[in-house]
Amino acid sequence: MTGLLLVGGKGTRLRPLTYTRPKALVPLVNRPLLWYLLELLRRHGVGQAVLAVAHEHEQIEAYVASGGKGMGVTCVREEEALGTAGAIKNAAEQLGATFFVLNGDQVMDLDLGAMLEAHRKKGAVVTIAVRRVADPSQYGLVRREPDGRVLEFLEKQEQPPPDASEINAGAYVMERAVLEEIPAGEVWSSEYDLFPRLLRSGAPVYAYAQQGEWAWFDVGSAERYLAATRQLLEGRTSFELPESQAPRGWELRAPAVVDGSAEIGPDAEIGPYAVVGPGCRVGAGAKVFEAAVWEGAQVGAKAVVRGAVVGCGARIGADVTVGEGTVLSDLSRIEAWKDD
Ligand code: GTP
């Protein structure tokens, strides 16, 4: 089996962090987001991953070329981003008779094997993973029969109708025949173009609702990024956390992960819900909580970082407070202003 990962979007909601990197390489608890998707495929015995790349493709290609993914990984590039369905058509040569397609901006514990089995049992051309979330208004909704047959797609509704409370979780099993429906070289969306077209033609499109609790979260915006960080740190997924440095002279308030190469000053407090990346420096008495501090960033003595994302190499001066909802781009600098 092959798993196609859609990783070519611009990630506009995660700007400024995605000005300098593709969303798929955003570090999430000190691992690139893409790692979680490759790991999911690998665990379910998918031997080949195909990455549909466009925006900032060079960085993803370099990540793949660095090896150590435990499976075959190839990249297929779009000269111009072709949308979520155009990207699938563009990768046609790499895809077999039946394949998985996953949006590249999410972390999930979806049982791909069970979904494939359900897809085959129903004789579906497309099976879409669906789930319930607390606030479905920001997502595409799926209205379906009790047996799973999809009746309608409703994109982002302020007031979701009661019979369409499940969202499209951005994970599909597809039959190759579906590619015939996508025009070559055109910008086409799965959600707006392909799936509605399949429904109009009466093609068997089914929803797959995994039983029980299962972790799923998207990392589309900074707010969701921090919520995802929190859920990973709380151990709500099956993904193991990377090793954390043991505190010496500073305090780690669990859950938190501090990379072994970070330098933490005396009496600093890290956590709860904090991640400190490789090569970071956190000064004496600083506090970092509910926040992610990316590789090479510096937090000055007695500074406070709370509810924020601090980009790679950013520098926060001594005594500065960086509050809730702040997103600092890579290499940015914030210093306390001191009049002489
Ligand atoms: P926003 O601009 O913040 O909405 O993010 P996005 O560009 O990633 O768009 P969206 O969240 O709708 O995309 C869902 C998934 O599809 C993401 O993993 C994107 O990387 C991917 N994607 C979106 N558009 C394209 C495209 O044109 N080509 C490819 N290869 N992937 C795409």
Side-chain angles (χ1 to χ4, degrees):
M1 276 294 273
T2 299
L4 176 66
L5 304 180
L6 300 176
V7 291
K10 286 203 171 111
T12 53
R13 289 165 298 153
L14 254 187
R15 285 174 179 170
L17 302 167
T18 43
Y19 279 133
T20 41
R21 64 177 64 70
K23 191 158 51 171
L25 294 186
V26 158
L28 183 63
V29 192
N30 289 346
R31 286 186 174 118
L33 174 54
L34 184 53
W35 179 89
Y36 296 90
L37 287 157
L38 292 173
E39 173 69 9
L40 181 80
L41 293 176
R42 205 186 50 74
R43 271 185 201 175
H44 287 94
V46 177
Q48 189 67 31
V50 179
L51 309 186
V53 297
H55 175 68
E56 299 284 352
H57 59 87
E58 298 89 347
Q59 293 185 45
I60 299 184
E61 286 157 359
Y63 174 70
V64 169
S66 68
K69 308 295 179 292
M71 64 192 303
V73 185
T74 50
C75 293
V76 177
R77 189 192 308 169
E78 293 141 56
E79 291 309 325
E80 296 285 334
L82 290 171
T84 46
I88 305 172
K89 178 79 171 187
N90 190 57
E93 269 183 30
Q94 306 290 327
L95 304 171
T98 308
F99 50 90
F100 293 106
V101 178
L102 307 179
N103 281 357
D105 57 351
Q106 53 194 358
V107 174
M108 60 185 163
D109 269 329
L110 181 63
D111 185 340
L112 296 179
M115 180 164 155
L116 178 61
E117 205 181 308
H119 173 84
R120 293 204 160 123
K121 256 196 198 146
K122 299 286 185 192
V125 292
V126 176
T127 296
I128 299 172
V130 297
R131 63 169 288 127
R132 292 180 197 282
V133 292
D135 175 15
S137 65
Q138 301 301 308
Y139 299 94
L141 299 168
V142 177
R143 205 160 67 76
R144 64 168 173 107
E145 301 271 23
D147 75 344
R149 183 128 188 178
V150 174
L151 299 169
E152 196 181 5
F153 291 96
L154 302 160
E155 276 306 313
K156 301 176 185 141
Q157 308 269 311
E158 280 283 315
Q159 283 292 324
D163 66 339
S165 54
E166 288 167 324
I167 66 151
N168 171 356
Y172 318 106
V173 184
M174 289 190 185
E175 291 300 308
R176 191 171 182 84
V178 162
L179 300 180
E180 306 284 316
E181 304 293 327
I182 309 172
E186 280 185 35
V187 176
W188 247 54
S189 148
S190 291
E191 300 81 355
Y192 291 99
D193 301 314
L194 175 63
F195 298 155
R197 174 186 279 210
L198 290 171
L199 291 188
R200 280 196 301 275
S201 70
V205 176
Y206 278 82
Y208 171 73
Q210 185 160 308
Q211 295 303 301
E213 277 294 307
W214 59 287
W216 177 90
F217 32 87
D218 81 298
V219 183
S221 64
E223 194 186 351
R224 290 199 197 141
Y225 170 87
L226 284 174
T229 302
R230 189 179 178 108
Q231 297 195 55
L232 280 163
L233 290 173
E234 280 173 344
R236 288 179 186 241
T237 74
S238 62
F239 299 100
E240 262 179 44
L241 297 179
E243 256 184 51
S244 185
Q245 190 186 132
R248 268 180 302 145
W250 52 276
E251 191 180 345
L252 187 140
R253 300 189 168 182
V257 167
V258 177
D259 186 84
S261 63
E263 283 176 33
I264 313 293
D267 300 322
E269 287 174 20
I270 312 288
Y273 306 110
V275 177
V276 177
C280 288
R281 288 189 5 217
V282 178
K287 290 188 169 78
V288 178
F289 56 107
E290 292 162 15
V293 181
W294 291 4
E295 183 165 0
Q298 297 185 27
V299 177
K302 293 194 176 153
V304 177
V305 181
R306 170 173 186 234
V309 186
V310 180
C312 289
R315 290 167 72 168
I316 297 168
D319 300 318
V320 169
T321 292
V322 171
E324 197 83 35
T326 308
V327 178
L328 295 182
S329 57
D330 292 354
L331 302 176
S332 54
R333 282 179 89 139
I334 300 190
E335 298 286 344
W337 185 266
K338 290 197 174 99
D339 282 328
D340 294 327

